[in-house]
Amino acid sequence: MSVFQKHTLSTRASSINRALDEIGDKWCLLILQEVFWGVNTFNGMLAGTGASRGVLSDRLNWLQTKDCLRKEEVENGPRRPTYHLTKKSIELYSNGLMAMVWERKYFATPTLDSVELTHKTCAKAFWPVMECGHCNQPVSSDDVSFHPGPGATKDTRITKTRRRSSSSASSEDQGKTLYRNLINLLGDRWTANVIALAFHGLNRFDDFHQELPIATNILTDRLKLLINEGVFYRLPYQQSPLRYEYHLTDKGRDLFPYFVSLLSWGDKWCSKGNGNPILLKHEPCGEHLNPEVRCNQCGDALIATEVHFKL
Ligand SMILES: [Zn+2]
Ligand SMILES: [Zn+2]
């Protein structure tokens, strides 16, 4: 199915890239979402994700090697093994909530539009918001600046050219997926990488290419996709030959909380031991950004076990 060409490229260390390399694949994202819903058997996930048996078993193994899933075997029983979240993967919950917020804002999805979230702590129907842990203001890309941290080194990444899976997951199964459009878009990790670089202020083809271990035709393809999806718009910066800069639209900028939650998770769980590569500063309060995903009713930080979903 996939074509691999292996090379390596040394790029700026980034917790987003590290997180994407572990769980940024479309199938991994879909599997984790199923487990968050309480679907934890092989057959259940097969139905819920639309993956083939081979792909599903490959990704389940991968997620176990990354300590993102724990397999429970049932000895001598008729029951099949089940897969469970770990300490590490349960913290991707805020990331899932931020995905849902974006999806609801930009896509009409009957399932998602009718979902009701209840916060067990305050017993109210709520909506998740990302706020600065220091000044309690909502986090947006305009208000955050990036600075090199103690771990601002280089990471060696393997060059892989893998074809985007051509069948869009939405045509196969709606299931209980609350953010399938986002997964279809970002589940190709290079597309997600390009957006992350745009948040860091990169906007030209050559700048993107220098930071990504991918072939130029793949980068061209992903930029085209991001324009078609309304995440980027382009502006000419040179006339002959004609060259464009790529900028985030409002829809693109609204992905910021999703990426910030991924970055925090990567800082905590995918660190290479020498500190965070990038430090985020919340400009309105001047403090280091500690992003918290909270209940908009009581202001408490949200954790998976305290949220009830009703479809
Ligand atoms: Zn702040
Ligand atoms: Zn609450």
Side-chain angles (χ1 to χ4, degrees):
M1 288 293 279
S2 51
V3 182
F4 291 100
Q5 291 170 1
K6 287 197 176 181
H7 300 287
T8 57
L9 181 76
S10 173
T11 62
R12 265 187 285 185
S14 150
S15 293
I16 294 181
N17 290 346
R18 291 173 186 170
L20 290 171
D21 285 347
E22 291 199 7
I23 52 98
D25 162 86
K26 166 177 144 186
W27 301 113
C28 291
L29 292 172
L30 286 168
I31 290 167
L32 289 167
Q33 196 190 194
E34 290 296 316
V35 186
F36 271 116
W37 274 112
V39 176
N40 50 24
T41 61
F42 188 89
N43 286 335
M45 291 187 211
L46 204 58
T49 62
S52 68
R53 303 188 78 87
V55 166
L56 180 59
S57 104
D58 175 75
R59 299 309 195 276
L60 287 173
N61 287 334
W62 168 261
L63 288 169
Q64 287 175 79
T65 63
K66 294 291 156 195
D67 195 25
C68 287
L69 280 184
R70 180 175 54 81
K71 184 177 179 178
E72 239 170 58
E73 304 272 6
V74 185
E75 278 178 48
N76 305 321
R79 287 183 56 223
R80 301 288 169 85
T82 50
Y83 298 87
H84 302 270
L85 295 167
T86 58
K87 255 185 176 169
K88 178 175 175 179
S89 56
I90 204 161
E91 292 196 5
L92 282 166
Y93 192 64
S94 341
N95 183 245
L97 290 175
M98 291 299 94
M100 207 181 71
V101 168
W102 186 79
E103 184 99 4
R104 176 121 129 189
K105 185 162 179 186
Y106 290 101
F107 297 89
T109 317
T111 331
L112 178 56
D113 294 344
S114 64
V115 77
E116 208 182 272
L117 291 94
T118 312
H119 192 209
K120 291 181 190 166
T121 317
C122 66
K124 285 187 182 147
F126 77 97
W127 197 240
V129 285
M130 180 180 276
E131 292 176 349
C132 165
H134 183 77
C135 70
N136 306 323
Q137 293 305 300
V139 172
S140 91
S141 64
D142 296 339
D143 295 334
V144 177
S145 58
F146 298 87
H147 307 273
T153 51
K154 293 274 185 180
D155 271 354
T156 301
R157 305 184 77 197
I158 294 171
T159 310
K160 278 186 206 161
T161 54
R162 177 147 62 173
R163 248 176 263 170
R164 258 174 68 74
S165 102
S166 54
S167 68
S168 124
S170 57
S171 56
E172 293 150 17
D173 180 74
Q174 290 297 332
K176 283 183 286 189
T177 300
L178 293 182
Y179 40 94
R180 208 167 260 270
N181 289 293
L182 178 137
I183 289 180
N184 276 331
L185 179 68
L186 302 184
D188 157 69
R189 75 187 79 150
W190 304 129
T191 309
N193 274 161
V194 172
I195 300 174
L197 291 171
F199 282 121
H200 289 312
L202 270 56
N203 51 33
R204 294 186 180 180
F205 188 94
D206 292 338
D207 299 335
F208 291 131
H209 192 240
Q210 209 161 37
E211 292 296 328
L212 291 172
I214 55 172
T216 52
N217 61 321
I218 304 215
L219 179 56
T220 304
D221 174 74
R222 300 309 191 266
L223 289 170
K224 215 180 276 175
L225 173 82
L226 287 166
I227 286 176
N228 290 340
E229 294 291 331
V231 169
F232 278 177
Y233 66 94
R234 55 179 202 172
L235 283 177
Y237 69 90
Q238 180 186 300
Q239 287 306 326
S240 76
L242 192 56
R243 295 270 185 273
Y244 293 97
E245 277 181 355
Y246 299 85
H247 295 274
L248 290 156
T249 60
D250 287 345
K251 183 180 177 183
R253 281 141 44 100
D254 280 342
L255 281 166
F256 191 66
Y258 176 85
F259 280 95
V260 168
S261 58
L262 208 53
L263 183 141
S264 302
W265 185 82
D267 277 345
K268 180 164 179 187
W269 297 102
C270 314
S271 153
K272 309 227 161 146
N274 48 358
N276 298 344
I278 294 164
L279 300 175
L280 273 57
K281 185 174 160 199
H282 195 226
E283 294 295 342
C285 67
E287 295 292 320
H288 167 68
L289 178 67
N290 169 28
E292 283 198 357
V293 173
R294 297 170 170 169
C295 164
N296 70 343
Q297 297 298 311
C298 71
D300 276 9
L302 295 166
I303 59 170
T305 50
E306 286 171 0
V307 173
H308 179 72
F309 274 83
K310 205 176 92 194
L311 285 166

